[in-house]
Amino acid sequence: MQLVVARIGRAHGIKGEVTVEVRTDEPELRLGPGAVLATEPASTGPLTIETGRVHSGRLLLRFEGVRDRTAAEALRNTLLIAEVDPADLPEDPEEFYDHQLMDLDVVLADGTEIGRIAEITHLPSQDLFIVERPDGTEVMIPFVEEIVAEIDLEEQRAVITPPPGLIDESEAVVVSTRDEEAETAEDGSSQAGSGDAGKDV
């Protein structure tokens, strides 16, 4: 089975390094020195990783035969694809490969259908499920323990317990600056709205 494990970003420096957008939970395994990866478009590969390092929170890779900024920039937006045995599973039972999560039904604890996982985005701080709803719209669900309560591969579903406003924006409680100023004027204090479900994603 072929899985997209990264997307090449911009060139870094003048010696052929590139930034990569990691799309795997196991970059040390899939994107380590010596790894040979297929590419999309296929004409740019296969690529063999020569070195890798983390700089300012971003993974930088250098590929064999890529020695300058011009060659590195030519690889921009190329997808890196690893060959993975479908039977392989992460060592940690709480971790999952992207292909295990794709197309899972996303439901609330009471069984209410939200949609299906159409894409998984790997950010430096957390992973996001891009969930396609029955009406064709999309909603982003942070893949964190507080929100994703259960991944049931046997039943092919992900059970979520979203905070107010994550699924339905009309449920979010927004405290305006004017309201806060009024409260401050009345009692000399400022209080955040108890319904605020703000969470950086």
Side-chain angles (χ1 to χ4, degrees), residues 17 21-22 24 27 42 58 61-62 79 81 84 99 103 118 123 135 148 154-155 164 184 186 196 201:
E17 284 186 314
E21 173 191 312
V22 177
T24 172
R58 298 282 308 225
L61 297 179
R62 180 185 288 117
L79 297 178
I81 302 168
V84 178
H99 71 270
D103 291 324
L123 302 178
D135 62 4
V148 181
E154 187 172 332
E155 295 292 331
T184 302
E186 289 177 3
D196 182 16
V201 294

Side-chain angles (χ1 to χ4, degrees), residues 174-194:
V174 179
V175 178
S176 70
T177 303
R178 182 177 299 174
D179 291 339
E180 290 182 350
E181 289 175 349
E183 288 183 10
T184 302
E186 289 177 3
D187 61 15
S189 64
S190 177
Q191 189 172 17
S194 60

